[in-house]
Amino acid sequence: MAYNVLKGVVEGSVDQYGDQEIEGIKVFKNTISASVFYDTDARSPCVTIKDVAISEIKGTVPGSVLLRSSGKTVIADSNLVFNGKELSTKTVRAVNFIGSAADLINLPVDKFNGEIAADYIKLGPGLSNVRGTVQVKTSEGIKISEEGVALSIASNSGLSIKSNKLTIDPNKVESINLQGQNLSDQDVLLVSDVSRGSVNSTTLSNLYDNYISSKISKAAGQKNEIQIKGTAGFASSPSFSYDVDRKTLKVDGKINAENINIEGSFSCAGAVVQNVTSVNQELYEVKSDDYTLFCDAEKHPITVLIPPACNNSGRILNIKKTNTDKYNLRSYPVKIKVNEGTIDLKDEMIIKVNYSCRTLQSDGVNWWVVGAKGT
């Protein structure tokens, strides 16, 4: 079907039955209607305005992907551009991505669904790819087990894990004298240096010479002088010494002691001084340091209570009856009494005559009279 448009002014309609020819440029002032226009050059029907899909494009950004708006209008959105190689947009939401995704960057690690093979992960120092699995590289002192990465600690290293922390454990080392060896000057110790906030090493020799030696009190005085506690450290005196060769203790002064036990002979080159006590009360209980008692019985009788023999084995007591008025021969008696044990098989004895005396000694069970004068 063809339409021949004739040359000249055409009014009304052009249909397929009337051949008309138009030469040059013609202006149709009235509506032209036709069911089909035919392109003789292309040898196919022409598309009429009612058959066109797009009638308007909004936007002028080059490379914009056209988006349908409404009717026959499309939008060239500046946020969706394709330059022939890259499709640019702010946000992409898709169910699946197919391809290598080699150029994807800044992917949030918490948004992946499933595991990522180590082949696609950039590994830093200390990590390795073992058959698609990220694995920590082992090195000296580091081991890997099913539980995770751990320290490889030797059984006798002195180290231990306590409360999930690496600690020094002295019980995890062998004794230094295990094979007969012992400490030497060059043996090494670890010291926590508080001033520098670090752990350092030192030798036993340095520890002793520069610390322990300065804290130890040094001996004072001359050879053989016995050391005593001073204001700071030791003190000594030439009056108190011991001659090792002669096995002799020298004391240039007094010895004050509650008890002295001498095994062997006792030799005294000087005077022996003992306590003397005057007694005039009616009842007197012998004290621990009493030796000789002078009992003045001029005004009333006197009872002397001596201590238990069992607590005074070997002790000697001297008891003498006196009278202040030496011209008066009459006076009251002095009774010697014991509550534990006996005195010569009796629990008491009486001294009647002035200036009479008794010497008693304990055998650890009873008291015995070892010396007497008068009655």
Side-chain angles (χ1 to χ4, degrees):
M1 180 172 57
Y3 298 91
N4 294 318
V5 181
L6 299 177
K7 182 179 179 181
V9 177
V10 179
E11 295 181 0
S13 62
V14 178
D15 58 29
Q16 61 180 334
Y17 301 108
D19 292 335
Q20 297 178 2
E21 182 180 352
I22 300 176
E23 293 181 358
I25 299 174
K26 300 297 182 180
V27 178
F28 294 92
K29 296 181 178 180
N30 299 318
T31 301
I32 298 176
S33 63
S35 60
V36 175
F37 287 96
Y38 189 82
D39 187 341
T40 57
D41 292 333
R43 297 181 181 278
S44 63
C46 294
V47 178
T48 61
I49 193 65
K50 65 182 180 65
D51 296 321
V52 177
I54 300 173
S55 62
E56 183 183 6
I57 298 177
K58 293 183 177 180
T60 60
V61 178
S64 298
V65 178
L66 300 179
L67 304 177
R68 181 175 179 179
S69 176
S70 62
K72 296 182 179 182
T73 301
V74 295
I75 300 174
D77 197 325
S78 60
N79 293 320
L80 184 60
V81 180
F82 181 68
N83 62 4
K85 293 183 179 180
E86 295 181 352
L87 178 65
S88 301
T89 186
K90 291 184 177 179
T91 303
V92 177
R93 181 176 297 172
V95 177
N96 296 301
F97 281 99
I98 299 175
S100 67
D103 294 328
L104 292 177
I105 60 174
N106 298 327
L107 299 178
V109 295
D110 58 341
K111 300 300 181 181
F112 287 94
N113 184 12
E115 297 180 347
I116 303 175
D119 306 82
Y120 305 107
I121 299 176
K122 184 178 181 181
L123 303 177
L127 299 176
S128 62
N129 179 0
V130 180
R131 296 184 180 183
T133 301
V134 178
Q135 182 173 300
V136 177
K137 291 182 180 179
T138 58
S139 60
E140 294 184 3
I142 303 295
K143 65 180 181 179
I144 299 176
S145 63
E146 294 183 356
E147 289 77 13
V149 182
L151 296 175
S152 181
I153 301 176
S155 59
N156 295 325
S157 63
L159 300 176
S160 180
I161 301 294
K162 293 183 180 180
S163 301
N164 297 323
K165 295 180 180 179
L166 181 64
T167 59
I168 296 177
D169 189 351
N171 296 319
K172 290 293 184 70
V173 294
E174 295 180 347
S175 174
I176 194 170
N177 55 8
L178 183 64
Q179 298 179 353
Q181 186 176 349
N182 214 321
L183 296 174
S184 63
D185 287 346
Q186 298 308 311
D187 285 343
V188 179
L189 300 173
L190 290 179
V191 179
S192 177
D193 191 328
V194 177
S195 61
R196 291 188 292 180
S198 61
V199 177
N200 302 95
S201 64
T202 185
T203 62
L204 288 178
S205 176
N206 180 63
L207 176 64
Y208 179 83
D209 293 340
N210 295 285
Y211 182 76
I212 295 178
S213 179
S214 64
K215 300 295 182 180
I216 296 177
S217 298
K218 304 298 190 297
Q222 303 299 318
K223 181 181 178 181
N224 294 334
E225 291 182 4
I226 296 176
Q227 304 299 294
I228 56 177
K229 187 179 184 306
T231 304
F234 290 122
S236 65
S237 171
S239 299
F240 188 30
S241 62
Y242 181 76
D243 191 329
V244 178
D245 297 331
R246 298 173 60 188
K247 299 180 180 180
T248 302
L249 176 66
K250 175 185 175 182
V251 180
D252 186 7
K254 296 180 179 180
I255 297 177
N256 184 10
E258 292 184 1
N259 296 288
I260 296 179
N261 185 18
I262 299 176
E263 295 181 1
S265 61
F266 174 74
S267 176
C268 181
V272 177
V273 179
Q274 297 285 1
N275 283 346
V276 176
T277 305
S278 296
V279 177
N280 55 18
Q281 57 263 48
E282 293 186 20
L283 176 62
Y284 180 79
E285 186 172 351
V286 174
K287 298 178 177 57
S288 59
D289 59 346
D290 284 339
Y291 180 72
T292 298
L293 303 178
F294 290 151
C295 300
D296 187 355
E298 178 190 7
K299 297 182 179 179
H300 49 73
I302 294 176
T303 298
V304 177
L305 182 61
I306 60 178
C310 60
N311 296 335
N312 293 269
S313 180
R315 183 178 179 180
I316 296 175
L317 286 174
N318 297 306
I319 302 174
K320 184 177 181 68
K321 181 179 182 298
T322 63
N323 192 339
T324 304
D325 186 357
K326 62 180 181 179
Y327 298 107
N328 185 3
L329 299 179
R330 299 180 63 182
S331 61
Y332 294 94
V334 173
K335 181 188 295 185
I336 304 173
K337 183 177 178 60
V338 64
N339 292 330
E340 301 81 11
T342 59
I343 305 173
D344 276 0
L345 305 180
K346 298 179 182 180
D347 58 3
E348 65 181 32
M349 65 171 45
I350 297 176
I351 303 177
K352 300 178 181 179
V353 179
N354 290 342
Y355 312 116
S356 297
C357 63
R358 299 289 185 271
T359 299
L360 311 179
Q361 188 169 13
S362 167
D363 64 358
V365 179
N366 298 298
W367 290 93
W368 298 91
V369 177
V370 294
K373 179 181 178 181
T375 57

